[in-house]
Amino acid sequence: ELQFADTVAYYGSLLGKVGRDSEAMACFDYALRIFEEKLASNHLSIGDALHEKGIVLMAQGNFDEALEAVQSALLIRKQRLGNIHEKVEETLVLFGNIYNKLGKSDDALNIFRAAYQMRGREAGLGRKVKEIGDTDTLFQMGKIYHESEELEQAMACYEACIRIWRQSQGDKRTEMAPVLFLMGKALYEMGSLELSLSRFISSLSIQEKENDESLMVADILFYMGNIHCEFGDLDQALDEYERCLNIRTKKEAPSDLVAEVQNCLGFVYFDVKQYEKASFSHKKALEALKTAHGDDHEGLALCWHSLGVICLEQHETEEALVFFQKALRISRAHLGSNHIDVGNTLHCLGMCFAELNDKKNAIATLKEALSIRLLNLGYNDEDVGDTRRYLARVQLQAGDNDAALENLRETIRIKTEWVNENENLSDTDYNEIMECFDGSLRVVTWKYGSDDISRAELLLKKGTYQGQQKMYEDAVGTFVEALRIFKRNYGDKHLDVSHTLFNIGMLMNEQREPERAIKCLSKALHTTKGILGDEHIDVADTIAQLGVAFNLKGEYDEAIEHYETALQSRKQIVGEDNLESASIMHDLGDVYCKLGQWGKAEQCYRESLKIRNMKFAASIDISSTLFGLGYIYKNKGDDMKAMRALEGCLRIRKMKLESDIELADTYQHLGTVHDSIENARKALFCYDKALSIYAECLGEKNETSALVLCRKAGILQSLENDEAALACFSEALQIRSFFHEEEELSVETADIICSQGSIYNRMGNIKKAQSCFETALNMYKTIDGSENLNVAKALHFIAIIFVNRQDNDRAYPCLEEALRLRRTLLGEHHEDTADSCYYIASILFAWRRYREALPCFQTAYDVYLKQRGSLDISVANTLFFIGCIHEIDGNYDEALTCFKSSLLGKKQNLGATNMEYANVIYRLGYVHSQRSEPDLAIYCFRECIAIRELHSTPNKDSQIPIADALVDLGNALAEKEEFNEAYVCYKDALDIYNNHLNREDIAIGDCLRRIGNVHESKNEETTAEGYYERALQIYDCNLILKPNEDEIASLNLDKEYTDLASLLLSLATMRDRLFQLDSAVSLYGRALHLYKTLFGADDLRIATILNNLGNITGRSGSFDKALVLFEESLRIRLLVLGRDHEDIAETLFSMGIVFEKRHEYGAAIKAFSDCVRIRGLIYGEESLEMAEVLISLGSAQGNLHNFAGALRSWDQALYIYQRNELSEDHPLVVTVLDNRAIAERFLAETK
């Protein structure tokens, strides 16, 4: 029965998880009744069942009952498990959740902290936590902190949750979605919109993977819509609000939530001027709220107000009036008479009355709105200014000029202060402020006349404002009228006159009219000095503006003198840390930039930036100084500093400027920096942004865009996006021709044509490429003569075309001239000089003039390494050729080093499956073969073959390199005596050769030779001989029978003759073994001639042939001739191998035999003794090789009647045979025993 109760309780927990609460409760009640009857009251099964029952009760909303059940469960679990146990913690968390549901958040938080601390952890969240069970506790704690608006603590809990899930579950992140949502919400409330958006996006992506369309998804979309509204991305916001609305409607969310998103949709549609859709959305919100709450709900005020704004915007004033009145009634009823929302609606009502020409109601309503806005917003708020402006307009219409003037002046004060703080100003804002100025001037003129000082003072303010808004011509006109009034009232020698002249001079500088500026400023300076003296701030400012004028005129020394004088004066009068000094310092930096004095320019900009940063965090002036610093760093080659400065400049200008030349310039310069550090994606983005803004500001065709197009084309060219690059260059040429119709020849145009040539060359359109380069070359020569770098560039490019055509005879003179010019004008260590050196070296290499090529390659390598770094592709290419030359010269250690470094560079730049990478690893394999490192060689050749097969096609050019690598792989396998695998490689290579080459091609002969080697190594001599003979027939068809050294060199056939010599030696050795001595001698003779011709008289292979010929000659009885051959073989072997090599022992043994045949027993004993010494060193004292020589030594000793010595030698040989387990009837043992018996008999007779 207890077991059944356990099962029922477990089933109840499952039912609770799927929401079948009533059935779950029945299961728990049944199980608990059995447990209480059969078990002790504090049994753990009862505690577990009560815990699960508490979960279901909480889900049902029966919090009091749930609390009672969970308290009992907690008590039992603590009694049975102790205070620290995961089940106790689990119940504590449930306890906290119930308290939270009951609104006891402080109690809940304390319980959650206790649960979290239970495992001995701190409540602080700074350290990593890994237990997945912590997440629920932390999540609940985070929600409580969030609800209490303790957002930083909430974020700490949420972040800890995420960290635990990521550590524990990896990609199983479904549970993370709610936490990420709440993180986004907390960040939104903290004002961190970008971070908030990223968390919302993460949460949304998780839920979209689950195809979830919950109300939480709708909430996420709502917040994302709000953020995109803040960012000005209204299309994105509309999409998110629409999706949110769709989900909330489908899920039958509360009407308030539906109305909320409908209103937001209405606001966005209003901003994008889709008034019908905006009106529809607000009406749907209105309808939802009315249905749910009736006609007097607080939320209806916003809907009525929004509908009124839409009608007012569409000049449907009477309808707007009705909507605003409804909004006002509800707002007053719910919010009171002085709430800001009431003031806002009154403002709009006043606008309606004004539009309807109801001046009395308009004035009364606007005054009430003004009173409320002043109460809530203060005297300096822009909305207060708006109400004053509308009120003044109506007051003017009503003839209340004094009241209107007061409101206009206040509006001007508020608006101009707002403009000073907000550098972006719309046309509407400008027009509103100008309306206030013009209204004020009308009133002042009406009251005081056109020549009154108060009018001039107002004109001075208006002109200053116009100047701030870059309306320079209008501002000059305004100042000129003010100047007339001041002169009429005060004469020429008055400060107001000098101030107005100063303002006009400033505007002339802004209009880049320095001559007129100097005239105005000089008069202003003279008057100001006369009245205020030299040490006054106004004098310093005037001198600074004169510096600006001289800077514009290009008189930089005068400009520097004026700037420095102004700075010195300001320092004495007001100190250094003021914005005007920062501005002068910036201008001084500009002058030093123009003079190329980068150090002084940087110092000035830094001083200016320090001051400006103290005053404003992000202003247009700061952006200008950052731009200047970026320009300096770019020119100094410090790309990272340039990038940081320009990115800082861009951030500010993006905030402050919408579409402006300065913003485009920033994008352009930042693009050049990204281009310089090879960040093509960012560079292209910057150039595209710059082009877009230039087109908007200057028109589609402008010279600056031509420059940017060329830079963009350069990047596209580097990315091999050739069609797009050509299009950019063509567009740049069209723009240049548009602006320079008469200027047919220019370096810039030639540069573009040259770049087009490079692209056509890469695209394989050689004819167009050559035409472009030749056109550019002629243009360069015509413009600047023949001795210039552009000529060198064009010659170099023309040469590359010839190189690619393998027309090296035409390429070489072009490269020679290009190299001469570059060495003369740039020096030996410039990259362009290195490029020409590299290509000249590659031609010399192709001509096999390796000794001339090597220093050229080395020069190019040294420059590339220093300028571009060890992993650059040009370094890798150069090292490959240097390695090839060392390989050809037999310098395998140096070749190995070069090829390894080249391989790293090729892999870094081209990847490990590129054909060039395969070529390098092929040469590396060959070097390992030559260094007797077959395992490494095998690895390299297999890698090479795999890559070549990856790129293979059925044609000859693709297949033959695979066959070549197969042959070399076979050679390496054969060196390891893995003959079966080597045979497969050779046969596969032979099949390829037979399919693609003439049957008499020498490569087939070489392959047949190597297959013969395999058969010979397996003692299949007849088969091997057949392959050798077929191979020899092919070699003899292709090569001169007995060439001299000059013939081999002139034909570049060193390798082929070396292989033939090897074949002749192999076949001769085989014929020698088969006692076909005439044929063997003939073949040895041919091989000997080739080896001597190829490698000189001291080559080891010559020693081998001489040794073999000596053996043949000796066997035929020509001992004298044989001895001569052995002596020459011994000389070579001693010269090359030293005294202790087996080959030396072999020759000494053969010589001993000949000496014995010639009865020169003493010489024989000497030869045999030396052989014994060497073989003892190499094979050991008990080797069979030692026994062989000892037998011959004993024979020679016996022939000299040294029977005792002979017996010692033979006994030693017998001992070796015994140690090697040769039986007594073995022929060798029998022979020694017979010899020994004879020697003993002779020894006995002698005694």
Side-chain angles (χ1 to χ4, degrees):
E1 195 172 2
L2 279 172
Q3 188 175 2
F4 180 68
D6 277 333
T7 305
V8 170
Y10 177 69
Y11 184 54
S13 66
L14 293 177
L15 290 168
K17 288 174 183 175
V18 297
R20 292 164 64 177
D21 297 339
S22 299
E23 296 168 78
M25 288 299 297
C27 290
F28 292 135
D29 289 340
Y30 174 82
L32 282 166
R33 182 171 57 78
I34 301 298
F35 290 151
E36 287 165 358
E37 288 175 2
K38 304 291 184 181
L39 303 171
S41 60
N42 65 346
H43 196 279
L44 192 58
S45 294
I46 296 174
D48 292 345
L50 285 167
H51 176 91
E52 294 296 333
K53 182 178 179 180
I55 293 173
V56 175
L57 286 166
M58 185 179 73
Q60 290 179 320
N62 297 326
F63 301 126
D64 292 335
E65 291 182 45
L67 197 61
E68 183 181 347
V70 172
Q71 281 175 328
S72 299
L74 183 62
L75 183 63
I76 293 168
R77 284 184 165 182
K78 279 186 174 182
Q79 287 176 352
R80 306 298 293 186
L81 302 172
N83 287 331
I84 300 175
H85 191 276
E86 60 182 349
K87 283 193 173 184
V88 175
E89 182 184 0
E90 177 185 45
T91 308
L92 269 174
V93 171
L94 180 56
F95 213 165
N97 285 335
I98 296 168
Y99 268 125
N100 196 26
K101 295 288 186 183
L102 289 167
K104 299 178 179 181
S105 57
D106 290 341
D107 292 335
L109 192 58
N110 289 331
I111 291 170
F112 288 138
R113 285 197 186 111
Y116 185 69
Q117 290 171 332
M118 185 164 288
R119 294 177 195 149
R121 300 187 191 88
E122 298 174 0
L125 300 168
R127 59 189 291 275
K128 289 185 178 180
V129 287
K130 296 182 180 178
E131 294 295 332
I132 198 66
D134 290 342
T135 54
D136 189 39
T137 308
L138 288 165
F139 184 43
Q140 297 301 332
M141 287 169 67
K143 287 201 292 186
I144 293 172
Y145 280 128
H146 200 156
E147 289 165 6
S148 304
E149 297 185 3
E150 297 179 53
L151 299 177
E152 290 186 4
Q153 288 104 317
M155 282 298 297
C157 293
Y158 296 149
E159 285 168 354
C161 275
I162 296 297
R163 190 162 57 246
I164 295 167
W165 267 315
R166 282 180 175 151
Q167 290 172 354
S168 305
Q169 291 189 317
D171 293 332
K172 296 178 181 178
R173 303 185 303 161
T174 307
E175 301 89 342
M176 290 166 58
V179 186
L180 286 165
F181 165 65
L182 288 176
M183 286 178 78
K185 190 176 175 185
L187 288 163
Y188 180 85
E189 291 162 12
M190 293 164 74
S192 300
L193 298 185
E194 289 186 0
L195 285 174
S196 171
L197 182 62
S198 73
R199 300 303 186 276
F200 285 136
I201 290 170
S202 298
S203 179
L204 187 64
S205 65
I206 292 169
Q207 294 180 83
E208 284 178 340
K209 285 179 184 175
E210 302 293 322
N211 294 317
D212 189 2
E213 283 201 342
S214 63
L215 285 174
M216 184 169 66
V217 170
D219 291 345
I220 293 170
L221 290 165
F222 179 76
Y223 279 107
M224 288 173 67
N226 292 349
I227 294 170
H228 282 119
C229 278
E230 291 286 340
F231 291 164
D233 190 351
L234 300 182
D235 288 339
Q236 185 67 31
L238 276 175
D239 177 65
E240 284 153 354
Y241 286 143
E242 291 283 5
R243 289 166 63 194
C244 170
L245 180 62
N246 184 44
I247 295 171
R248 286 183 176 177
T249 304
K250 190 186 295 183
K251 296 290 183 181
E252 297 182 353
S255 300
D256 294 39
L257 293 178
V258 174
E260 175 186 50
V261 72
Q262 288 281 18
N263 277 325
C264 286
L265 276 168
F267 299 146
V268 178
Y269 282 129
F270 180 84
D271 286 341
V272 297
K273 302 188 184 307
Q274 295 187 32
Y275 300 124
E276 286 187 14
K277 287 186 176 181
S279 180
F280 175 80
S281 295
H282 289 306
K283 285 177 180 176
K284 293 297 287 184
L286 193 71
E287 181 184 321
L289 290 172
K290 275 186 174 184
T291 303
H293 304 295
D295 291 343
D296 293 322
H297 186 260
E298 180 183 350
L300 295 172
L302 175 62
C303 302
W304 290 123
H305 182 92
S306 301
L307 287 167
V309 170
I310 295 168
C311 290
L312 195 58
E313 186 71 19
Q314 294 180 292
H315 305 292
E316 298 169 355
T317 312
E318 292 180 354
E319 194 172 350
L321 186 68
V322 172
F323 290 144
F324 287 132
Q325 286 171 336
K326 289 181 178 182
L328 183 63
R329 180 183 60 78
I330 295 171
S331 293
R332 275 182 169 156
H334 289 277
L335 303 174
S337 297
N338 291 322
H339 194 275
I340 189 60
D341 287 355
V342 173
N344 293 339
T345 305
L346 283 166
H347 173 87
C348 293
L349 265 174
M351 290 173 64
C352 290
F353 286 129
E355 287 289 324
L356 295 170
N357 204 27
D358 185 349
K359 299 181 186 65
K360 182 178 178 181
N361 279 323
I363 290 171
T365 306
L366 287 168
K367 280 183 176 180
E368 187 179 357
L370 180 61
S371 173
I372 295 171
R373 283 187 164 181
L374 283 167
L375 182 67
N376 285 276
L377 305 175
Y379 282 82
N380 299 318
D381 189 81
E382 190 191 358
D383 286 347
V384 171
D386 278 339
T387 305
R388 285 189 182 278
R389 181 170 60 84
Y390 276 104
L391 182 55
R393 184 190 294 173
V394 182
Q395 287 168 335
L396 282 173
Q397 292 170 357
D400 192 353
N401 292 331
D402 290 336
L405 185 59
E406 181 187 351
N407 280 315
L408 287 169
R409 282 176 170 163
E410 276 298 297
T411 303
I412 290 169
R413 179 188 64 77
I414 293 168
K415 291 284 187 180
T416 50
E417 284 179 7
W418 181 82
V419 167
N420 291 335
E421 294 171 4
N422 299 273
E423 291 162 347
N424 280 340
L425 192 70
S426 68
D427 291 341
T428 302
D429 293 326
Y430 176 77
N431 292 332
E432 287 175 357
I433 296 174
M434 292 310 297
E435 176 193 344
C436 294
F437 276 120
D438 292 340
S440 299
L441 283 167
R442 283 198 303 274
V443 174
V444 169
T445 302
W446 172 76
K447 285 186 72 174
Y448 307 112
S450 60
D451 294 333
D452 189 77
I453 289 297
S454 59
R455 182 169 180 266
E457 290 170 348
L458 195 55
L459 285 166
L460 206 58
K461 289 181 180 178
K462 179 182 177 182
T464 302
Y465 172 73
Q466 288 172 320
Q468 288 173 342
Q469 302 312 308
K470 300 183 180 180
M471 309 296 290
Y472 299 128
E473 289 187 12
D474 292 344
V476 168
T478 303
F479 283 135
V480 167
E481 176 62 10
L483 183 64
R484 181 191 68 77
I485 297 169
F486 284 134
K487 281 187 174 183
R488 183 179 182 86
N489 284 275
Y490 299 134
D492 291 344
K493 305 296 183 181
H494 192 275
L495 276 178
D496 285 345
V497 173
S498 66
H499 288 164
T500 309
L501 284 167
F502 172 81
N503 287 332
I504 294 171
M506 279 182 63
L507 293 172
M508 293 302 172
N509 277 335
E510 293 291 347
Q511 290 181 288
R512 310 189 81 77
E513 298 182 36
E515 294 286 358
R516 294 175 67 188
I518 290 169
K519 286 181 182 178
C520 293
L521 291 166
S522 297
K523 289 179 182 179
L525 183 62
H526 178 73
T527 303
T528 307
K529 275 186 174 183
I531 298 170
L532 301 175
D534 290 350
E535 299 300 322
H536 193 276
I537 196 69
D538 290 353
V539 173
D541 289 345
T542 310
I543 292 170
Q545 279 300 314
L546 279 165
V548 174
F550 284 117
N551 185 2
L552 290 169
K553 277 188 75 178
E555 297 179 12
Y556 299 127
D557 291 339
E558 284 282 341
I560 291 170
E561 182 182 344
H562 279 81
Y563 284 141
E564 289 180 344
T565 302
L567 282 170
Q568 189 62 35
S569 295
R570 293 189 67 83
K571 184 177 179 181
Q572 292 174 0
I573 299 163
V574 294
E576 294 177 317
D577 296 339
N578 57 85
L579 288 175
E580 195 56 45
S581 293
S583 179
I584 297 168
M585 196 69 75
H586 174 91
D587 291 345
L588 188 55
D590 285 347
V591 176
Y592 284 127
C593 265
K594 291 171 185 174
L595 294 171
Q597 297 181 25
W598 308 120
K600 287 184 177 180
E602 182 181 359
Q603 183 181 355
C604 290
Y605 284 143
R606 285 198 166 280
E607 285 294 318
S608 173
L609 192 62
K610 183 177 75 173
I611 298 167
R612 286 172 166 175
N613 276 329
M614 285 192 297
K615 303 295 181 181
F616 295 109
S619 70
I620 286 295
D621 289 340
I622 289 175
S623 77
S624 299
T625 308
L626 286 169
F627 183 84
L629 281 169
Y631 180 79
I632 289 170
Y633 294 137
K634 186 158 68 75
N635 280 280
K636 289 170 71 175
D638 193 337
D639 292 324
M640 297 315 294
K641 279 188 175 180
M643 183 167 64
R644 285 195 293 272
L646 289 169
E647 283 179 343
C649 170
L650 184 64
R651 276 194 297 274
I652 296 170
R653 288 182 172 177
K654 280 168 70 177
M655 285 191 294
K656 304 294 183 181
L657 305 172
E658 289 184 3
S659 197
D660 187 274
I661 297 296
E662 290 182 354
L663 183 58
D665 289 343
T666 313
Y667 274 118
Q668 184 198 160
H669 283 268
L670 188 56
T672 62
V673 175
H674 284 305
D675 192 359
S676 178
I677 61 175
E678 297 183 359
N679 190 332
R681 182 181 61 80
K682 286 190 175 180
L684 285 173
F685 172 81
C686 289
Y687 287 149
D688 284 337
K689 292 291 288 185
L691 286 167
S692 172
I693 297 169
Y694 284 137
E696 188 176 340
C697 296
L698 304 174
E700 290 294 331
K701 289 186 177 179
N702 62 86
E703 289 193 86
T704 310
S705 289
L707 172 65
V708 180
L709 280 164
C710 288
R711 287 175 174 164
K712 179 182 176 182
I715 297 175
L716 292 167
Q717 187 176 354
S718 70
L719 296 173
E720 299 186 12
N721 190 347
D722 294 329
E723 294 291 347
L726 279 175
C728 286
F729 279 132
S730 298
E731 188 177 349
L733 278 176
Q734 289 174 3
I735 293 172
R736 287 194 59 77
S737 64
F738 179 80
F739 284 98
H740 302 277
E741 292 180 5
E742 297 179 0
E743 186 187 340
E744 293 182 2
L745 294 176
S746 71
V747 171
E748 292 79 7
T749 302
D751 285 342
I752 295 172
I753 293 170
C754 206
S755 298
Q756 287 179 313
S758 297
I759 296 172
Y760 283 127
N761 187 29
R762 185 165 59 212
M763 293 171 72
N765 194 334
I766 304 303
K767 187 175 180 180
K768 276 194 173 182
Q770 188 171 343
S771 173
C772 286
F773 291 141
E774 288 173 351
T775 301
L777 177 63
N778 292 329
M779 291 175 74
Y780 290 139
K781 286 182 175 179
T782 304
I783 296 163
D784 293 322
S786 297
E787 297 291 314
N788 66 80
L789 289 172
N790 285 323
V791 169
K793 175 178 70 174
L795 283 167
H796 182 90
F797 285 138
I798 291 169
I800 301 307
I801 288 178
F802 291 138
V803 168
N804 292 335
R805 287 178 178 172
Q806 298 183 339
D807 189 352
N808 290 334
D809 291 335
R810 293 177 71 186
Y812 193 80
C814 293
L815 283 168
E816 262 194 324
E817 179 61 10
L819 181 59
R820 182 189 69 78
L821 289 170
R822 286 175 168 177
R823 276 180 171 156
T824 303
L825 299 171
L826 297 174
E828 188 75 22
H829 303 296
H830 194 276
E831 288 181 72
D832 290 348
T833 308
D835 287 342
S836 295
C837 268
Y838 173 83
Y839 278 101
I840 279 184
S842 65
I843 292 174
L844 293 169
F845 184 90
W847 286 343
R848 302 200 179 196
R849 290 160 60 179
Y850 302 124
R851 290 185 179 179
E852 295 173 69
L854 184 59
C856 291
F857 279 131
Q858 193 64 52
T859 298
Y861 167 74
D862 291 339
V863 175
Y864 291 150
L865 183 64
K866 183 176 180 180
Q867 300 292 336
R868 302 176 184 176
S870 60
L871 292 178
D872 188 78
I873 190 63
S874 57
V875 173
N877 291 339
T878 312
L879 280 170
F880 175 72
F881 282 110
I882 293 172
C884 288
I885 294 171
H886 286 311
E887 177 197 315
I888 290 163
D889 290 342
N891 299 326
Y892 297 121
D893 290 344
E894 291 185 33
L896 187 69
T897 302
C898 291
F899 287 141
K900 282 184 175 179
S901 298
S902 176
L903 201 66
L904 286 174
K906 298 277 188 181
K907 185 176 183 179
Q908 175 81 11
N909 291 278
L910 306 173
T913 59
N914 184 273
M915 287 292 281
E916 288 189 34
Y917 180 85
N919 294 339
V920 181
I921 206 167
Y922 175 73
R923 299 315 317 166
L924 191 60
Y926 182 79
V927 170
H928 283 307
S929 290
Q930 297 304 308
R931 286 163 54 92
S932 299
E933 296 168 343
D935 289 327
L936 293 172
I938 288 165
Y939 171 80
C940 290
F941 291 134
R942 281 179 171 156
E943 282 287 300
C944 171
I945 291 165
I947 297 167
R948 286 178 175 176
E949 286 180 340
L950 183 67
H951 296 276
S952 69
T953 60
N955 63 44
K956 172 183 173 182
D957 291 340
S958 177
Q959 291 296 313
I960 295 303
I962 295 173
D964 294 341
L966 282 166
V967 169
D968 284 307
L969 175 58
N971 297 342
L973 290 164
E975 187 178 349
K976 286 192 69 182
E977 299 184 1
E978 296 178 9
F979 297 116
N980 291 334
E981 288 189 53
Y983 179 80
V984 171
C985 291
Y986 293 141
K987 287 293 286 182
D988 288 346
L990 186 63
D991 289 342
I992 294 172
Y993 288 144
N994 283 330
N995 286 333
H996 294 281
L997 300 176
N998 185 292
R999 291 305 171 96
E1000 301 300 321
D1001 193 282
I1002 206 163
I1004 294 175
D1006 179 57
C1007 204
L1008 290 167
R1009 172 177 72 87
R1010 295 182 188 280
I1011 294 172
N1013 289 342
V1014 172
H1015 285 295
E1016 184 179 1
S1017 67
K1018 295 165 73 174
N1019 297 318
E1020 298 168 354
E1021 293 197 340
T1022 303
T1023 307
E1025 187 177 14
Y1027 278 105
Y1028 286 151
E1029 287 175 348
R1030 285 165 58 199
L1032 187 58
Q1033 289 172 3
I1034 292 172
Y1035 275 106
D1036 286 344
C1037 284
N1038 287 277
L1039 302 176
I1040 300 169
L1041 191 61
K1042 285 192 174 182
N1044 58 41
E1045 185 176 352
D1046 292 338
E1047 287 172 325
I1048 292 173
S1050 65
L1051 295 169
N1052 292 319
L1053 292 173
D1054 304 57
K1055 179 184 181 303
E1056 288 77 6
Y1057 276 107
T1058 302
D1059 292 341
L1060 173 58
S1062 176
L1063 170 61
L1064 290 165
L1065 180 55
S1066 296
L1067 190 55
T1069 305
M1070 183 178 291
R1071 296 274 168 83
D1072 189 354
R1073 284 198 300 270
L1074 296 171
F1075 298 102
Q1076 298 174 18
L1077 299 182
D1078 291 341
S1079 175
V1081 169
S1082 172
L1083 292 167
Y1084 278 138
R1086 287 184 64 186
L1088 187 65
H1089 170 77
L1090 287 175
Y1091 281 129
K1092 280 185 176 180
T1093 305
L1094 288 162
F1095 303 107
D1098 296 331
D1099 188 78
L1100 277 175
R1101 287 162 292 196
I1102 292 172
T1104 300
I1105 294 170
L1106 291 171
N1107 202 83
N1108 292 350
L1109 284 170
N1111 287 329
I1112 292 173
T1113 307
R1115 286 198 296 272
S1116 67
S1118 300
F1119 301 126
D1120 293 343
K1121 188 175 179 181
L1123 195 58
V1124 171
L1125 293 168
F1126 287 137
E1127 285 173 345
E1128 179 60 11
S1129 174
L1130 183 64
R1131 181 192 71 77
I1132 296 168
R1133 285 177 167 176
L1134 284 168
L1135 180 69
V1136 177
L1137 302 174
R1139 295 175 52 82
D1140 299 328
H1141 195 275
E1142 164 56 20
D1143 289 353
I1144 305 292
E1146 178 192 33
T1147 305
L1148 286 168
F1149 184 75
S1150 297
M1151 289 176 73
I1153 299 296
V1154 171
F1155 281 130
E1156 192 171 12
K1157 295 291 185 183
R1158 286 161 52 100
H1159 307 293
E1160 296 178 17
Y1161 300 119
I1165 290 170
K1166 173 78 168 59
F1168 289 138
S1169 297
D1170 287 345
C1171 182
V1172 166
R1173 182 188 65 79
I1174 295 169
R1175 286 191 173 176
L1177 287 173
I1178 295 170
Y1179 301 114
E1181 297 292 335
E1182 297 180 0
S1183 64
L1184 291 172
E1185 289 83 1
M1186 278 285 288
E1188 178 189 33
V1189 186
L1190 286 166
I1191 292 168
S1192 296
L1193 176 60
S1195 297
Q1197 289 168 326
N1199 286 326
L1200 270 178
H1201 305 290
N1202 182 1
F1203 300 118
L1207 285 169
R1208 281 196 300 275
S1209 297
W1210 288 331
D1211 284 345
Q1212 190 176 350
L1214 281 171
Y1215 173 75
I1216 291 169
Y1217 287 148
Q1218 288 170 359
R1219 295 289 292 174
N1220 283 275
E1221 299 180 352
L1222 271 66
S1223 62
E1224 288 187 2
D1225 59 351
H1226 191 281
L1228 290 174
V1229 176
V1230 170
T1231 300
V1232 176
L1233 289 170
D1234 289 346
N1235 289 343
R1236 194 178 186 289
I1238 294 168
E1240 284 180 333
R1241 188 173 69 250
F1242 277 121
L1243 186 62
E1245 289 174 358
T1246 303
K1247 289 181 178 180

